[in-house]
Amino acid sequence: FARAFVRFHGITPSEARRDSSGLRALSRISVKLILNGGKIMDYKIVKKEPFDVLERVEPQSVRDGANLILMFN
């Protein structure tokens, strides 16, 4: 505690008891979250004829340096 007190206030706890003029206080911390975006997208529902699924394809991810590459079998 004493080491952290000195690091924050610059004086020891016993010095602070003698002369409290060098103490600091922190104001209350608050966090604000602002969400932006939500672009409007136009869409329409279209009826299609039934179709058969021939093969199920699952993507595999491969790292190439800082890039992420999706590969499909």
Side-chain angles (χ1 to χ4, degrees), residues 37-73:
K39 296 182 181 179
I40 296 174
M41 296 173 42
D42 295 329
Y43 68 94
K44 63 181 178 178
I45 298 174
V46 179
K47 287 196 173 197
K48 296 280 189 174
E49 294 295 321
F51 61 92
D52 294 327
V53 176
L54 300 176
E55 181 180 350
R56 183 176 175 179
V57 177
E58 295 195 21
Q60 297 178 355
S61 61
V62 177
R63 289 239 175 240
D64 177 27
N67 300 320
L68 178 64
I69 301 171
L70 291 178
M71 298 172 52
F72 294 91
N73 294 342

